[in-house]
């Protein structure tokens, strides 16, 4: 039998190091992100996605049907108030379809922001007990919310085909639908994730920001052409609305699926650049805050 005491210390240390497949070290730099860990923990992402999605309709009577009922009731309310009472323009489109095409992308973006904005405060208990890449949590929220978006998107497509079958003069661009839908979804998800993790990082020290998120999202909806077309806004205010990165995304969504709207590639390019900067800034701030957030949460 070999005696371990005769083994040189350097050889023992080398053997011990080979037994580890993951070394957890404190992060020191702003750009030390370790994004490759997200792929290593992809099974955990799937588990969180399932948890987030199931938790929304668990112990409910109608279950996932709420994902259809909510946008449908919202669309009917907008139709009665903004089209019936306020007589706002819908660019010649059926009001029900016009508002549904606006609320579907907006709901996905706003839900991503509001849910990811509580990442640190809502998960403080689990973050303090076990290690895993903290970005797994907001990323899983964005993916689980994408399932909700898919259900509402199916409702939009169903309404679109119903109006087309009735002979309503709609002009969907089927080629653009195939090519641009993934791009628009990616922009909405990235923008919502970027804003959400920035707010989540700041709320570890400034709790009152969490109270402003829901209220701010509601105000931001009226600064986005969700309940009105951008073409109905005067030139005096249109430039301000176009600074909102969601403006061109919603307009592009309507232009592709309904054949209406003031879509332009430069505006969508601005939204893309804005989204990339916001997401990059959010990841950097999130990475910096996660090292010390347990001391402040």
């Amino acid at each position: 039998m070999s005696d371990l005491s005769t083994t040189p210390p350097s050889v023992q240390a080398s053997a011990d190091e080979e037994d580890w497949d993951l070394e957890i070290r404190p992060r020191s730099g702003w750009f030390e992100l370790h994004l490759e860990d997200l792929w290593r923990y992809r099974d955990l992402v799937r588990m969180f996605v399932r948890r987030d999605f199931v938790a929304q309709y668990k112990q409910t009577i109608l279950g996932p049907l709420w994902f259809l009922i909510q946008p449908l009731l919202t669309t009917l309310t907008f139709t009665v108030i903004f089209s019936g009472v306020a007589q706002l323009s819908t660019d010649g489109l059926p009001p029900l379809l016009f508002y549904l095409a606006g609320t579907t992308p907006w709901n996905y973006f706003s839900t991503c922001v509001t849910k990811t904005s509580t990442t640190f405060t809502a998960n403080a208990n689990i973050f303090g007990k076990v290690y895993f890449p903290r970005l797994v949590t907001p990323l899983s929220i964005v993916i689980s919310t994408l399932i909700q978006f898919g259900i509402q998107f199916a409702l939009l497509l169903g309404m679109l085909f119903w109006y087309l079958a009735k002979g309503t003069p709609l002009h969907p661009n089927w080629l653009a639908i195939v090519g641009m839908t993934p791009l628009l979804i990616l922009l909405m998800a990235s923008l919502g994730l970027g804003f959400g993790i920035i707010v989540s990082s700041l709320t570890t020290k400034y709790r009152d920001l969490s109270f402003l998120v829901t209220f701010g999202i509601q105000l931001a909806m009226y600064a986005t052409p969700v309940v009105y077309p951008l073409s109905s806004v005067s030139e005096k205010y249109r430039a301000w609305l176009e600074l909102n990165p969601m403006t061109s995304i919603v307009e592009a969504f309507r232009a592709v699926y309904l054949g209406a709207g003031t879509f332009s590639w430069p505006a969508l390019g601005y939204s893309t650049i804005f989204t990339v900067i916001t997401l990059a800034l959010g990841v950097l701030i999130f990475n910096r805050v996660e090292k010390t957030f347990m001391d402040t949460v």
Side-chain angles (χ1 to χ4, degrees):
M1 178 180 293
S2 61
D3 187 1
L4 293 178
S5 61
T6 61
T7 305
S10 59
V11 176
Q12 292 183 24
S14 177
D16 292 340
E17 290 176 358
E18 291 179 356
D19 293 334
W20 299 99
D21 58 0
L22 177 64
E23 181 180 357
I24 303 174
R25 295 176 300 169
R27 298 176 181 176
S28 58
W30 279 85
F31 298 97
E32 192 177 354
L33 303 179
H34 297 296
L35 295 179
E36 66 276 4
D37 289 347
L38 293 177
W39 176 252
R40 185 180 297 116
Y41 283 82
R42 59 189 180 276
D43 291 333
L44 184 61
V45 174
R46 285 195 291 266
M47 186 186 72
F48 279 161
V49 168
R50 185 179 182 277
R51 180 202 66 176
D52 294 337
F53 182 73
V54 172
Q56 295 186 62
Y57 65 84
K58 190 177 183 180
Q59 294 181 329
T60 60
I61 298 176
L62 299 178
L65 286 178
W66 282 112
F67 295 144
L68 294 175
I69 296 173
Q70 180 183 0
L72 191 57
L73 291 179
T74 301
T75 302
L76 290 174
T77 302
F78 287 168
T79 301
V80 172
I81 295 177
F82 295 109
S83 180
V85 178
Q87 297 292 315
L88 292 181
S89 170
T90 58
D91 272 351
L93 298 171
L96 194 65
L97 194 58
F98 175 85
Y99 294 123
L100 188 60
T103 56
T104 298
W106 176 258
N107 284 343
Y108 178 55
F109 165 75
S110 62
T111 304
C112 288
V113 173
T114 54
K115 287 188 175 182
T116 56
S117 64
T118 60
T119 296
F120 282 121
T121 55
N123 298 278
N125 292 334
I126 190 174
F127 282 176
K129 294 178 180 178
V130 63
Y131 168 79
F132 59 89
R134 305 313 186 200
L135 274 174
V136 163
T137 305
L139 184 61
S140 67
I141 292 175
V142 171
I143 297 175
S144 63
T145 307
L146 183 61
I147 302 175
Q148 175 182 341
F149 169 79
I151 297 174
Q152 298 179 1
F153 180 68
L155 175 62
L156 172 63
L157 289 180
M159 295 292 294
L160 174 61
F161 288 126
W162 184 68
Y163 275 103
L164 288 174
K166 287 176 57 179
T168 306
L170 301 172
H171 307 284
N173 189 332
W174 301 112
L175 183 61
I177 286 175
V178 175
M180 290 189 60
T181 298
L183 172 62
L184 295 177
I185 294 176
L186 180 62
L187 288 177
M188 290 185 291
S190 301
L191 188 61
L193 177 62
F195 275 128
I197 59 178
I198 288 176
V199 175
S200 178
S201 301
L202 296 178
T203 51
T204 57
K205 288 187 177 181
Y206 310 104
R207 292 296 186 88
D208 52 347
L209 289 178
S210 60
F211 302 109
L212 297 177
V213 173
T214 303
F215 179 66
I217 284 293
Q218 292 175 349
L219 291 181
M221 188 192 73
Y222 295 103
T224 308
V226 174
V227 298
Y228 57 86
L230 188 62
S231 59
S232 65
V233 181
S234 64
E235 293 292 336
K236 179 181 178 181
Y237 299 105
R238 184 177 301 182
W240 291 101
L241 292 180
E242 288 177 343
L243 293 177
N244 179 357
M246 278 299 295
T247 295
S248 62
I249 296 176
V250 172
E251 285 292 301
F253 202 84
R254 282 202 184 105
V256 168
Y257 283 90
L258 306 182
T262 56
F263 165 73
S264 69
W265 283 108
L268 193 62
Y270 159 77
S271 296
T272 302
I273 295 173
F274 190 99
T275 298
V276 171
I277 294 175
T278 301
L279 181 59
L281 183 62
V283 171
L284 290 176
I285 296 176
F286 191 92
N287 171 64
R288 193 68 176 178
V289 169
E290 71 168 281
K291 297 189 303 181
T292 58
F293 86 97
M294 287 302 298
D295 299 329
T296 56
V297 170

